[in-house]
Amino acid sequence: MKRALLLVLVVLVAFTTLLFARALALPSRQLQVTPAPRIALDEDALAKRLGAALRFETVSSADPSALPRGEFEKFQRWLAEAYPRLHAGLSLERVSDLSLLYTWQGSDPALPPLLLLAHQDVVPVDAPERWAEPPFAGLISDGFVWGRGAIDDKASLLSICEAVELLLGRGFRPTRTVLLAFGHDEEVGGAHGATQIAAVLASRAVHPWFVLDEGGVILAPGLVPGIQGPVAMVGVAEKGYVTLDVVAKAEGGHSSRPPRHTAAGILAKAVLALEDHPMPASIGGVTGSTIAYLAPEMPLPGRMLLANLWLFAAPLEAVLSRQPSTNAFLRTTTAVTQLTGSPKDNVLPSQAVAGVNFRILPGDTVDVVLTRARAVVNDPRVEVRPRSPGPEPSPVSPMDSRSFALLARTIRESFPDTIVVPSLVIGATDSRHYGEVTQELYRFLPIHMDSSDLTRPHGIDERLSTQNYADAVRYQVQLLENAAGSAP
Ligand SMILES: [Zn+2]
């Protein structure tokens, strides 16, 4: 008996030692760099220009006749005035009329160009009265620039322009050609902007070294459980998108003689089945890479857990699936967003329809989602069909590339003590349209966000601190010097 107990104890100790040994053996994947010297900037002037840019109501629309062309034209005239060196030193082409493609010619034409993306358009504001400051006034108060586009994506567009203007003023000349592509319809799919710019580049056989777009941001300390410092999420892939129409049909008629289940009731059952049977979760793929980069930076307990996923994958998956914010990184998500039935309370619906929006994880496809949804609903009275052919998930960009390493280095030089990790972008960006011209597509906006900031883009009180914005400009300067300077 004593021997058996002893044996169990020995096995337990050996097992625990093994778990800890694996955790301790994890090497950090963070590059060791020297922080970049802090550039002196007129931060007030920077904030004022960002504020000025937010006053143009460049709201895109899927309906071309509803596009406020005048606002885009005024914004572009303002850009030319605000950044005179940029407009003198770079050539500008207009694509689809309102999208802008700038070329900053490098001295070595043999080097593939760098392509920086941003978009001029913003999403509409539906409840301006709920904002602390008006959404299109570009006001600066409490140390913040307020307005629609302050983060998404005029901060990105303007910080790139500021960096180019500053470098031109210093006499900097890029070795590598730098392209700036500013679409005008990202928020409605990019069919006229990014898609057409990518086609222009493809027709000229221009294959950028890498593309950098919005996407991941720098998460404030505490937002990533177990990590002390800020975490920069560099998007290496983005989810796809499809909306399925789930259509239940039944006899119509007067509601005074109803059948046991109306079309609405049949539909309700199908909708519930879809919610109750989500697409399978996985902590592999891009999210597995995020975890692999985070694990070595965690204190020992967390590190032990993440270093031994062969043992802890299932419980970790269960915990992460519970929170919508982490669940979205593990699986293709299912969101029932629209329901319609009878137009009148005393009329039986002959048809009831639900719109179900899926955000597709790389690895799944529109077809996989459709097939599974049909199998889950499994009811001959219910038809499941795609509303429109949504974009498939993007390919995964390499994480062992020179370009990814350059980005990681630039981020750590500009924002010391920030952990850089590859990540999945759960929304859509313009970058997906450039897959034909390069495989190295990254998505990162040099903006710090805390938990209260995450709902501001597309939401209420979009704002950016003047400090945060100035640091974003410093990062863009560092990026251009690292990627296009004399020894890239
Ligand atoms: Zn955006």
Side-chain angles (χ1 to χ4, degrees):
M1 184 66 187
K2 252 188 183 172
R3 264 201 174 171
L5 262 177
L6 196 67
L7 190 67
V8 169
L9 198 69
V10 167
V11 169
L12 259 179
V13 168
F15 187 66
T16 314
T17 310
L18 171 79
L19 295 186
F20 277 101
R22 285 177 62 95
L24 291 169
L26 280 185
S28 172
R29 294 171 185 243
Q30 301 304 308
L31 299 175
Q32 295 311 313
V33 304
T34 311
R38 196 171 169 78
I39 304 166
L41 294 173
D42 182 345
E43 298 190 359
D44 284 345
L46 288 179
K48 277 190 187 132
R49 279 192 290 272
L50 178 59
L54 303 186
R55 283 178 210 132
F56 302 98
E57 299 191 29
T58 53
V59 178
S60 53
S61 168
D63 169 11
S65 68
L67 196 73
R69 298 187 54 84
E71 289 295 306
F72 282 89
E73 285 161 0
K74 275 192 278 173
F75 173 56
Q76 294 177 4
R77 277 198 296 274
W78 175 84
L79 270 181
E81 281 165 28
Y83 303 103
R85 288 192 202 106
L86 184 157
H87 285 81
L90 278 63
S91 63
L92 168 61
E93 295 169 81
R94 288 168 194 282
V95 179
S96 294
D97 219 11
L98 291 175
S99 280
L100 306 174
L101 173 62
Y102 292 91
T103 303
W104 192 3
Q105 196 58 52
S107 56
D108 185 349
L111 293 172
L114 168 69
L115 173 55
L116 302 181
L117 307 184
H119 58 89
Q120 306 166 56
D121 59 318
V122 295
V123 292
V125 171
D126 58 0
E129 71 284 355
R130 290 172 60 196
W131 284 56
E133 300 288 356
F136 291 106
L139 293 183
I140 302 166
S141 71
D142 295 336
F144 293 93
V145 184
W146 296 76
R148 175 61 83 229
I151 297 172
D152 181 10
D153 189 35
K154 283 180 176 156
S156 173
L157 193 154
L158 260 76
S159 64
I160 293 169
C161 292
E162 293 287 353
V164 171
E165 190 77 5
L166 181 147
L167 285 167
L168 282 166
R170 282 186 186 170
F172 175 90
R173 181 164 177 216
T175 312
R176 182 188 299 280
T177 295
V178 178
L179 302 171
L180 314 177
F182 301 151
H184 70 281
D185 61 349
E186 190 276 342
E187 298 292 2
V188 291
H192 302 285
T195 307
Q196 300 310 321
I197 298 173
V200 167
L201 297 179
S203 74
R204 295 173 186 167
V206 172
H207 297 288
W209 175 26
F210 69 94
V211 168
L212 186 57
D213 197 2
E214 61 175 334
V217 295
I218 303 175
L219 298 176
L223 271 186
V224 179
I227 301 282
Q228 297 288 317
V231 178
M233 314 279 282
V234 178
V236 293
E238 65 188 52
K239 284 182 131 181
Y241 182 112
V242 68
T243 297
L244 300 184
D245 279 325
V246 181
V247 185
K249 292 200 165 127
E251 286 284 311
H254 200 285
S255 65
S256 57
R257 287 180 305 277
R260 190 163 147 72
H261 292 293
T262 68
I266 295 164
L267 179 70
K269 190 170 157 243
V271 159
L272 206 60
L274 287 170
E275 283 196 340
D276 286 345
H277 298 85
M279 298 285 290
S282 157
I283 49 170
V286 175
T287 297
S289 302
T290 309
I291 291 173
Y293 275 70
L294 286 174
E297 315 307 323
M298 295 218 164
L300 202 51
R303 209 156 134 190
M304 205 263 292
L305 186 82
L306 297 185
N308 294 286
L309 288 180
W310 58 277
L311 184 63
F312 298 120
L316 182 67
E317 218 171 86
V319 169
L320 295 178
S321 290
R322 256 180 251 148
Q323 291 291 337
S325 57
T326 41
N327 182 48
F329 290 89
L330 301 190
R331 57 157 49 91
T332 296
T333 51
T334 307
V336 181
T337 51
Q338 296 169 308
L339 286 172
T340 54
S342 162
K344 208 162 177 296
D345 66 335
N346 62 358
V347 174
L348 296 173
S350 57
Q351 173 172 294
V353 184
V356 188
N357 183 240
F358 293 84
R359 298 301 178 109
I360 311 168
L361 196 69
D364 286 339
T365 61
V366 171
D367 253 2
V368 166
V369 170
L370 181 61
T371 306
R372 185 175 154 103
R374 283 178 175 151
V376 165
V377 168
N378 190 26
D379 185 334
R381 301 166 297 176
V382 180
E383 192 192 341
V384 180
R385 58 185 188 225
R387 186 175 296 179
S388 57
E392 297 284 359
S394 76
V396 179
S397 297
M399 290 163 250
D400 57 358
S401 60
R402 277 180 58 225
S403 52
F404 184 84
L406 179 130
L407 272 176
R409 170 157 75 88
T410 306
I411 294 168
R412 283 177 60 81
E413 285 169 345
S414 308
F415 306 102
D417 303 322
T418 296
I419 304 299
V420 180
V421 305
S423 78
L424 178 67
V425 172
I426 57 174
T429 72
D430 262 347
S431 70
R432 71 179 184 281
H433 300 299
Y434 292 86
E436 207 188 313
V437 293
T438 181
Q439 260 122 53
E440 299 180 33
L441 302 158
Y442 302 100
R443 302 155 186 88
F444 174 70
L445 194 60
I447 296 293
H448 285 85
M449 283 201 184
D450 62 27
S451 56
S452 85
D453 293 327
L454 297 176
T455 55
R456 294 181 194 276
H458 291 215
I460 290 164
D461 287 343
E462 186 172 351
R463 67 177 195 188
L464 183 64
S465 81
T466 56
Q467 182 63 57
N468 202 336
Y469 180 58
D471 286 340
V473 173
R474 293 185 177 98
Y475 156 91
Q476 301 285 14
V477 172
Q478 187 73 6
L479 174 73
L480 286 165
E481 284 183 333
N482 285 349
S486 53

